[in-house]
Amino acid sequence: MQLQDKIVLIHFNPDNSMQHVAVQNQEHCLTCEEKQCLTICPTGVFKWDCHSGSPILVHYKQCVECGACRLICRFDNILFEYPPGGMGVAYREG
């Protein structure tokens, strides 16, 4: 089974009142040449239209809470908090 096939099976319960993943300072993103956040995320939370000066968009409702984005950012520019209880990804044991 491919990763994308497994991601489709995850149950999401997004918290519409809290964005738990965000870019803190878009200026840092503009100077970042690698933009590794665009490729490390398995669900494509971060999107950029490749035009100079355009912001990186964050589609937080599709986040699987792996935390890879905050680890890969060389500017430590990703604000990440786990959603409150009962929200976010609902993992099952087993």
Side-chain angles (χ1 to χ4, degrees), residues 68-94:
C69 56
R70 65 183 169 154
L71 297 174
I72 198 83
C73 180
R74 68 182 181 113
F75 292 108
D76 194 26
N77 194 31
I78 305 294
L79 175 65
F80 180 90
E81 296 179 40
Y82 287 103
M87 303 306 242
V89 177
Y91 289 107
R92 291 187 318 191
E93 232 179 284

Side-chain angles (χ1 to χ4, degrees), residues 3-68:
L3 178 61
Q4 289 303 107
D5 297 330
K6 291 179 181 181
I7 289 171
V8 171
L9 299 176
I10 296 173
H11 173 72
F12 295 90
N13 186 19
D15 184 354
N16 294 321
S17 65
M18 175 191 164
Q19 183 170 339
H20 70 281
V21 179
V23 172
Q24 295 184 70
N25 185 343
Q26 287 285 346
E27 295 299 318
H28 288 309
C29 296
L30 292 174
T31 62
C32 180
E33 293 179 15
E34 298 88 13
K35 292 186 180 33
Q36 294 175 330
C37 63
L38 300 175
T39 56
I40 191 102
C41 180
T43 58
V45 168
F46 302 92
K47 301 283 187 216
W48 184 56
D49 69 6
C50 302
H51 290 96
S52 179
S54 65
I56 290 188
L57 303 176
V58 182
H59 301 281
Y60 73 96
K61 290 182 182 180
Q62 62 196 49
C63 175
V64 293
E65 302 163 19
C66 68

